[in-house]
Amino acid sequence: MVSLVVVAVFLLCGTLFQPPHATAFKPLLKDGSITHREITQMAILRKTAEVCHDIATAQGRDFTLAINNRLTISAVQRACATSPDSSSVIASLGFYSVIADIYFSNAAIDVAFVLSDAHHVDNEAFVEGRNLITSGLAAVKASVKKESYISGRITLGAVCHTLQDFYSHSNWVELGSTAPFSPLIRRELPLKNLAERSTPTCKSCNGQDCRDNILPEILLQKKLTSGYFSTFFSAKPVGKCSHGGLLDKTSYRDPTGGINKDDISSSHGFLHQRAAEMAIDATMELLEDIRLATGNQAFLRLMGLSQTSVLAFVIDTTGSMFDDIEEAKRVSFSIIDSKRGTPEEPSEYILVPFNDPDFGPLTRTKDADIFKSRINSLTASGGGDAPEMCLSGLLLALAGASPSSDIFVFTDASAKDLELKSTVQVMIERTKSRVTFMLTNAFSFRRRRDVSQSQQFNSRSIPLSDIQLYRDLAQISGGQTIEVQRAELSKATAVITDASTSALITILQVVRSPAIAENYSFVLDPSLSNVTLYVTGDSPVFTFYSPTGVSQLGSVADGPLGSILTVGNLRRVTLNSDNQTGEWKISINSSSFYSLKITGQSSVNFLFNFVEQSEGGDITPKDNRPFIGRNATLLVSVTGGDSVTVTDVLLVETSGSDVVNGTIKAVGATDILVNVDRIPEGAFVVQLKGLVNDLTRSLPSQFQRQSPTQQKGSGVTITAQTNSTIEPGIPLNFNFTLVNNAITGSSYTIRARTDRGFNVTFPSSLYVGTDESAQGTVTLTAPANTESGTDVTLTIEAEDSETSDSNYVALRFNVLTKVTDISSPVCQVVSIKADCPVECSTASWELSANLTDGNGTGISDVSFNRGNGSLSLSIVISEDGTNVTVASYNASCCSQEVELVVVDVVGNVGTCFTSIKSPSVPTTTVEPSTITNKPSTITNKPSTITNKPSTITTVITTPNRGYFVSFSMSVLLCNLCFALQQLFSLCE
């Protein structure tokens, strides 16, 4: 089965060696088999479409998309759009990126934990595997609650791998099961009928035929087992099934063969399709539990479906910045007010203040009013001539913002924390976010103002060496360094409005320092709109030419080709909308540094990631810079649908003339593997060229795109393997490894930092010989008072002390308090009152239910699905002192179903599903007769059922649905009696 292969970037722990057993559902290019990536993507698309369907139904909108395994990312994006405006549809890059993040986290398990029984549910490690899944599930919910969506996605991918491996590595499918094994995601449900370690489970295969190698008594007794695996030893318990495969030593010992269903050629490959389908259903069940615990909108944010643009400000708050802060407020308020309620409205707002010696806190919110309040509360005070904590504030923003965000830094001072430059650079490469510096008073004396006392005093301008630091970081990220006088800042902030839009793409970007006269060409295609050119520099002279030969000088404000805004060192060229398609040219000459950046809006964009391909055919992401001079592989995904054909993928050196052309191999409808024979010596960007079809043209048009963020190679690589969660106050120790590819041995300086200032210990240096490796240990400790769900990014860097060659590994952790509450809240239906005539709009019905959490952490949220009514809650105390939440639901008789969703503090979920059907449903009261602890404030409790409706159905959710209610046996008996009464009424 071939599905959209999506890519972007979340780089995780990597190594070249992967035993084939570890990658269940593994072959990327093998026809007929389904991979982890496809299973994960299918489940995400189906569940996301279901959520969008429920939202549309509740809002009275149509949702016509058929939900099946043939869904595509773009189709779900379009169907989930709440506006017919096309701009809400083309912003699908975030959805692509998030699915890829989750998949790459999934794939990384095969590398980081390649021999772990628990992570692959091998060797009958069911208890250990479930512990990984349930603890990971709790971590995902905690992350979503804290809006730490990136950490949540990483953990989700890892959990999905273990969950999916269960269906490939166990005999659940062979037992004739038709639904997922729900106890894997519910710790309160028992793991029943597990085969004892002493119980034989298999016989030897008949040659290569393993169809009947599971013992008949195991199948008859429904005993659960999984295959044993070892690449080093053949020993296994007597009579146990093996995993199977060439590298599984245990499969050569009696009983021989295996039971894995990793692909169609595996020992039980005849069941591969069923195992994969079961894994899809199980992943959907897991996603449904997260959706119910977090709510529809938070779930869609976790999936990245609501991600458009991000408005992110890092602002210097020292005394001289009064005017700058006021301008930041003005431009942000203007963007918010003009785009609120439109498809262009930013999906996230980031704010980080800094001064000296403080920086932070980070404000990250989807609520524009909260952002307005926070930025409006900023005041300019204190400070002086000393440099400030600019890079610390920027680092906090890079760690907190979504990948590929545009971040704007406002300052008029040098950076004090220069030691963070390499870490900031790592985070820029890691997140592919663009950083633009708005520098005031960069060239002349500035006037500092103390707001509280209205005093003014003189200060130096930012030294050129410090401006170069900002230029370097902007260049690496694909951003800009805009240097203006304070009085002109309001004109320069037009670039912020430009960037705060969806579907923004980079057509071309170059930087020249030292500058040389040069001619550049770029292609504009019919899918582009709002094309803008930015030229920055001290005094660049330029002329640009249209495809028809019309030219315009850069000194002409309003000409035949566009309008030019000149402010400070910025020239912003807005092209006219007519006749843009074709090859354009621009010639630039300057006596010093200049940069050129060309952007636009388009549905045609791309994602890429350096990957490694295993012997089994699957791919895993590289977690750091590739080796200089060696071959490499990129996985590229192109948005824009079937209208796009990629002809060239190039690695283009940014400060030289080196260009490496890749060899392209299609692996999906819009996805390609690109092999390059070497990585350039210097920094480089990835450039795409190809053809795009246009319905208004008989022939396809050329297009080009470029990655804004620069990439680098290295002569050393660094890897680390660790869990993604840590407990507050408990040190986490793990190892990292350096491998040297340089000509000679080197001593490497080691740096390790977190974005939250957590305590980290590590070796200060390591010596590594030529083609050798060395290992170091890092200890990370989160403060004991760290809130559960907090995310933290740890960056470990290694730098050659002589050549300055460096590499890094960035690890993201989720701080999670140990979860002891494993029981779901209890939902008890007390009464249903319905008197619904044929004309449903003239009447309503009511539901009353008691909600409790026993001795758990307490109910934190109550909502409803599949309903379109109103819900009210009240708290009462039962006779035994238990807190009881009384839920009262009222809806029109036209809205005949409701599902109450009850979530406790740690994310355990309970539900009540009730349905009524017309015509003529009389009033009914349902009361469990054996409940002894009734809320003391409820005094009128009908003891009998006086009216027996024939069409009321109350459903207690079952394991097949993916979420459960902890009903007592008395409630179950009561509902059974009620069902019998309905049956008797039919007979009457």
Side-chain angles (χ1 to χ4, degrees):
M1 178 180 296
V2 179
S3 73
L4 255 179
V5 180
V6 292
V7 188
V9 140
F10 207 98
L11 309 174
L12 293 155
C13 305
T15 183
L16 289 172
F17 175 68
Q18 296 182 58
H21 97 282
T23 45
F25 307 118
K26 63 179 179 290
L28 178 67
L29 303 175
K30 190 177 294 183
D31 291 338
S33 297
I34 304 176
T35 68
H36 269 296
R37 89 187 278 140
E38 292 171 316
I39 289 169
T40 304
Q41 177 176 305
M42 290 176 195
I44 289 174
L45 292 180
R46 283 173 54 182
K47 181 52 61 180
T48 301
E50 285 184 6
V51 172
C52 292
H53 170 272
D54 290 350
I55 293 174
T57 300
Q59 295 176 350
R61 295 185 288 109
D62 292 333
F63 188 91
T64 58
L65 181 66
I67 301 177
N68 52 43
N69 284 345
R70 295 184 296 276
L71 292 172
T72 65
I73 296 175
S74 58
V76 174
Q77 176 89 13
R78 287 192 299 269
C80 289
T82 58
S83 169
D85 190 320
S86 61
S87 62
S88 66
V89 176
I90 64 176
S92 60
L93 195 60
F95 197 21
Y96 274 79
S97 177
V98 165
I99 294 177
D101 287 351
I102 296 171
Y103 166 70
F104 277 135
S105 176
N106 184 320
I109 296 299
D110 280 332
V111 178
F113 303 100
V114 63
L115 299 178
S116 166
D117 296 342
H119 284 84
H120 304 287
V121 203
D122 290 331
N123 299 6
E124 298 181 320
F126 297 115
V127 174
E128 298 84 353
R130 182 173 73 168
N131 288 342
L132 287 175
I133 294 169
T134 54
S135 61
L137 184 57
V140 173
K141 295 174 182 178
S143 293
V144 174
K145 188 175 181 180
K146 290 284 291 183
E147 297 188 357
S148 302
Y149 296 108
I150 300 174
S151 291
R153 293 160 191 158
I154 296 171
T155 307
L156 175 59
V159 168
C160 286
H161 187 102
T162 302
L163 179 68
Q164 292 162 5
D165 268 6
F166 169 83
Y167 299 96
S168 176
H169 296 180
S170 77
N171 67 331
W172 181 252
V173 172
E174 285 86 345
L175 294 177
S177 307
T178 59
F181 186 51
S182 296
L184 287 179
I185 67 171
R186 292 284 186 177
R187 269 194 294 182
E188 75 268 25
L189 299 178
L191 290 171
K192 293 182 178 180
N193 227 24
L194 305 183
E196 299 286 344
R197 185 173 177 84
S198 59
T199 301
T201 54
C202 269
K203 62 182 178 180
S204 292
C205 297
N206 184 12
Q208 298 299 315
D209 184 6
C210 293
R211 286 179 176 267
D212 299 318
N213 63 332
I214 298 179
L215 295 176
E217 55 268 32
I218 295 298
L219 300 177
L220 182 64
Q221 298 169 19
K222 301 289 185 181
K223 291 285 186 180
L224 190 62
T225 186
S226 68
Y228 279 72
F229 177 88
S230 175
T231 57
F232 307 109
F233 308 104
S234 61
K236 63 181 176 182
V238 175
K240 287 296 184 182
C241 303
S242 291
H243 177 91
L246 292 177
L247 293 183
D248 178 14
K249 300 296 185 183
T250 75
S251 66
Y252 299 100
R253 169 171 290 192
D254 186 66
T256 59
I259 64 170
N260 86 81
K261 296 160 281 292
D262 290 355
D263 59 62
I264 58 176
S265 64
S266 298
S267 302
H268 277 204
F270 62 97
L271 294 173
H272 168 77
Q273 184 73 29
R274 284 180 55 192
E277 290 173 353
M278 192 78 75
I280 293 171
D281 291 342
T283 306
M284 289 184 64
E285 179 182 82
L286 181 83
L287 294 173
E288 176 68 6
D289 185 79
I290 296 170
R291 174 248 187 126
L292 291 176
T294 60
N296 289 337
Q297 295 304 323
F299 178 84
L300 293 181
R301 286 177 61 80
L302 177 66
M303 294 299 112
L305 191 64
S306 60
Q307 180 178 327
T308 54
S309 62
V310 176
L311 187 61
F313 286 170
V314 179
I315 301 179
D316 183 343
T317 59
T318 48
S320 61
M321 288 291 293
F322 176 82
D323 294 330
D324 306 62
I325 293 172
E326 291 303 306
E327 176 56 26
K329 293 177 182 178
R330 185 200 66 79
V331 69
S332 62
F333 290 0
S334 174
I335 292 171
I336 290 170
D337 293 340
S338 64
K339 297 187 176 185
R340 193 193 293 264
T342 73
E344 293 292 329
E345 182 177 4
S347 58
E348 189 171 61
Y349 301 89
I350 301 287
L351 177 63
V352 180
F354 70 91
N355 47 54
D356 178 27
D358 298 322
F359 63 94
L362 167 75
T363 296
R364 179 179 57 201
T365 179
K366 59 182 180 292
D367 190 325
D369 292 327
I370 292 177
F371 178 79
K372 271 188 169 185
S373 175
R374 297 289 171 82
I375 196 172
N376 202 42
S377 67
L378 294 182
T379 58
S381 62
D385 298 339
E388 291 140 15
M389 305 294 284
C390 179
L391 299 189
S392 297
L394 175 56
L395 185 61
L396 194 59
L398 284 165
S402 302
S404 301
S405 295
D406 279 280
I407 300 173
F408 294 90
V409 181
F410 291 78
T411 187
D412 64 355
S414 304
K416 181 178 183 179
D417 40 7
L418 298 177
E419 71 279 0
L420 292 180
K421 178 183 177 181
S422 60
T423 305
V424 170
Q425 181 174 339
V426 164
M427 288 302 294
I428 287 172
E429 290 183 34
R430 176 81 166 169
T431 64
K432 292 185 171 64
S433 289
R434 296 165 293 276
V435 181
T436 293
F437 293 91
M438 311 294 294
L439 305 181
T440 51
N441 208 28
F443 296 106
S444 62
F445 285 90
R446 59 188 177 178
R447 305 284 290 176
R448 283 192 176 269
R449 174 163 52 187
D450 187 317
V451 178
S452 61
Q453 301 178 15
S454 298
Q455 296 175 343
Q456 297 182 350
F457 53 94
N458 293 326
S459 173
R460 296 176 305 161
S461 61
I462 305 176
L464 183 59
S465 60
D466 293 339
I467 294 175
Q468 191 59 49
L469 165 69
Y470 295 141
R471 286 176 177 176
D472 290 343
L473 294 175
Q475 175 183 345
I476 291 166
S477 72
Q480 302 174 79
T481 304
I482 299 174
E483 304 157 21
V484 296
Q485 295 300 311
R486 183 161 283 122
E488 296 183 308
L489 181 60
S490 61
K491 297 179 183 178
T493 52
V495 299
I496 301 177
T497 305
D498 294 344
S500 60
T501 186
S502 60
L504 191 67
I505 60 94
T506 300
I507 301 166
L508 178 68
Q509 182 160 354
V510 295
V511 177
R512 292 293 181 260
S513 180
I516 58 173
E518 198 161 351
N519 299 317
Y520 305 96
S521 63
F522 56 96
V523 175
L524 302 185
D525 61 83
S527 73
L528 284 163
S529 62
N530 299 325
V531 177
T532 307
L533 286 66
Y534 304 92
V535 181
T536 59
D538 293 346
S539 55
V541 177
F542 64 94
T543 305
F544 53 106
Y545 306 84
S546 74
T548 60
V550 178
S551 65
Q552 181 175 334
L553 295 174
S555 58
V556 177
D558 291 296
L561 300 181
S563 301
I564 302 178
L565 168 69
T566 300
V567 52
N569 72 332
L570 170 69
R571 280 78 175 165
R572 173 177 173 262
V573 184
T574 305
L575 293 186
N576 297 333
S577 58
D578 298 332
N579 301 320
Q580 290 187 356
T581 301
E583 184 178 16
W584 289 65
K585 296 180 181 179
I586 182 170
S587 61
I588 305 179
N589 192 7
S590 178
S591 59
S592 61
F593 163 90
Y594 73 83
S595 69
L596 167 67
K597 181 176 183 178
I598 307 171
T599 67
Q601 282 184 283
S602 173
S603 60
V604 180
N605 205 348
F606 76 100
L607 303 164
F608 76 93
N609 195 46
F610 283 99
V611 296
E612 293 172 330
Q613 201 164 350
S614 70
E615 294 296 327
D618 203 0
I619 57 171
T620 55
K622 285 186 64 64
D623 195 27
N624 46 38
R625 295 167 179 160
F627 273 131
I628 291 175
R630 289 192 180 181
N631 59 14
T633 301
L634 296 85
L635 186 56
V636 177
S637 179
V638 183
T639 67
D642 298 333
S643 63
V644 178
T645 302
V646 177
T647 58
D648 297 280
V649 178
L650 312 169
L651 306 187
V652 181
E653 202 170 37
T654 56
S655 58
S657 58
D658 192 13
V659 177
V660 180
N661 202 336
T663 303
I664 297 173
K665 183 175 184 178
V667 293
T670 59
D671 306 277
I672 51 179
L673 278 176
V674 182
N675 293 309
V676 293
D677 58 10
R678 61 185 173 84
I679 295 295
E681 292 282 339
F684 62 91
V685 293
V686 179
Q687 192 175 89
L688 245 65
K689 295 183 178 180
L691 301 173
V692 58
N693 293 321
D694 179 18
L695 296 178
T696 65
R697 295 170 176 264
S698 58
L699 296 176
S701 301
Q702 291 183 328
F703 80 90
Q704 73 177 73
R705 300 289 185 269
Q706 178 180 304
S707 65
T709 309
Q710 293 182 9
Q711 305 294 307
K712 289 182 65 177
S714 178
V716 65
T717 189
I718 179 171
T719 58
Q721 298 181 2
T722 182
N723 292 315
S724 61
T725 59
I726 56 176
E727 287 189 51
I730 299 179
L732 175 67
N733 301 305
F734 61 92
N735 295 329
F736 66 93
T737 303
L738 292 184
V739 178
N740 183 15
N741 188 43
I743 298 175
T744 60
S746 298
S747 178
Y748 289 89
T749 300
I750 306 299
R751 293 184 291 267
R753 300 185 180 92
T754 74
D755 60 315
R756 294 190 179 274
F758 289 179
N759 184 53
V760 184
T761 60
F762 54 92
S764 60
S765 64
L766 287 175
Y767 179 83
V768 190
T770 303
D771 291 327
E772 293 181 356
S773 63
Q775 195 170 80
T777 300
V778 171
T779 301
L780 171 65
T781 307
N785 61 350
T786 306
E787 292 185 15
S788 188
T790 300
D791 62 347
V792 56
T793 299
L794 170 69
T795 304
I796 308 172
E797 303 168 65
E799 182 177 15
D800 189 317
S801 305
E802 295 184 1
T803 66
S804 297
D805 179 31
S806 65
N807 212 331
Y808 68 88
V809 60
L811 307 171
R812 191 178 287 266
F813 297 88
N814 187 22
V815 182
L816 184 68
T817 304
K818 190 171 184 179
V819 176
T820 57
D821 179 5
I822 63 172
S823 299
S824 298
V826 175
C827 174
Q828 299 177 344
V829 176
V830 175
S831 66
I832 301 171
K833 298 179 181 179
D835 189 6
C836 292
V838 175
E839 179 53 50
C840 62
S841 62
T842 62
S844 62
W845 65 284
E846 298 177 1
L847 167 71
S848 178
N850 291 343
L851 316 175
T852 58
D853 196 36
N855 294 321
T857 50
I859 293 173
S860 66
D861 185 66
V862 181
S863 60
F864 61 88
N865 276 333
R866 306 188 189 187
N868 193 20
S870 61
L871 178 67
S872 61
L873 305 173
S874 60
I875 305 295
V876 298
I877 308 299
S878 67
E879 294 174 356
D880 65 351
T882 301
N883 283 344
V884 178
T885 299
V886 179
S888 301
Y889 176 79
N890 182 282
S892 164
C893 286
C894 298
S895 178
Q896 299 176 348
E897 294 182 344
V898 67
E899 182 179 52
L900 294 182
V901 180
V902 192
V903 185
D904 66 17
V905 171
V906 296
N908 295 313
V909 178
T911 65
C912 293
F913 178 75
T914 301
S915 174
I916 66 166
K917 294 184 179 180
S918 58
S920 187
V921 180
T923 301
T924 301
T925 299
V926 181
E927 181 180 4
S929 58
T930 58
I931 295 179
T932 56
N933 294 322
K934 301 183 179 67
S936 58
T937 59
I938 299 177
T939 56
N940 296 318
K941 301 180 284 291
S943 58
T944 60
I945 298 175
T946 57
N947 297 300
K948 301 179 288 296
S950 61
T951 56
I952 290 183
T953 305
T954 299
V955 177
I956 302 172
T957 52
T958 66
N960 291 348
R961 292 199 59 204
Y963 41 91
F964 314 96
V965 186
S966 301
F967 282 90
S968 65
M969 182 58 70
S970 60
V971 180
L972 293 172
L973 291 173
C974 178
N975 279 275
L976 177 60
C977 293
F978 178 50
L980 290 173
Q981 288 175 327
Q982 295 182 63
L983 179 61
F984 293 153
S985 68
L986 284 173
C987 296
E988 292 173 358

